[in-house]
Amino acid sequence: MSFVCDTVELTAYIEKMIKDYKLVSAICASPAVVLANRCLLNGKKATCYPAEQFIKALGDLYTGADVEVDGNLITANGPKSAMKFSLEICRYLAVEPKF
């Protein structure tokens, strides 16, 4: 089974998640490509893969951190931060990770 949606549906879905204060998380280029390019960051701090075009897309919201948590938004800068990213998601959801 696959899930396919167009960018309008995706943007509307993420907007609803943000409005309902549900967790929104993005890693690598997606904070810039998906969230910033669709004006979905709403002034929240974020990080992303440190390529110039992605940093530019985030603008003043870019922190350069490995993982950034701002309210219900969790972002990370790429695969090297995947474990930290996962642990922050667990913390937000109040789930104890099992290794």
Side-chain angles (χ1 to χ4, degrees):
M1 182 169 142
S2 64
F3 177 74
V4 178
C5 69
D6 65 28
T7 57
V8 172
E9 289 173 342
L10 175 63
T11 301
Y13 183 75
I14 296 171
E15 284 175 336
K16 180 168 177 20
M17 296 288 289
I18 292 167
K19 179 183 167 207
D20 293 346
Y21 209 75
K22 305 273 181 157
L23 175 62
V24 174
S25 57
I27 190 170
C28 206
S30 60
V33 174
V34 176
L35 301 177
N37 283 343
R38 289 175 177 78
C39 301
L40 295 170
L41 291 175
N42 298 322
K44 293 186 180 218
K45 296 179 294 178
T47 194
C48 63
Y49 185 80
E52 184 179 342
Q53 70 270 27
F54 302 144
I55 292 171
K56 191 173 184 178
L58 290 179
D60 292 340
L61 302 175
Y62 177 74
T63 66
D66 288 345
V67 177
E68 186 64 56
V69 180
D70 191 344
N72 63 323
L73 176 67
I74 301 174
T75 55
N77 64 1
K80 75 179 180 99
S81 302
M83 182 58 80
K84 288 182 190 176
F85 181 64
S86 300
L87 291 172
E88 282 298 331
I89 291 170
C90 288
R91 185 192 59 73
Y92 182 90
L93 297 172
V95 172
E96 185 68 31
K98 297 188 177 164
F99 297 99

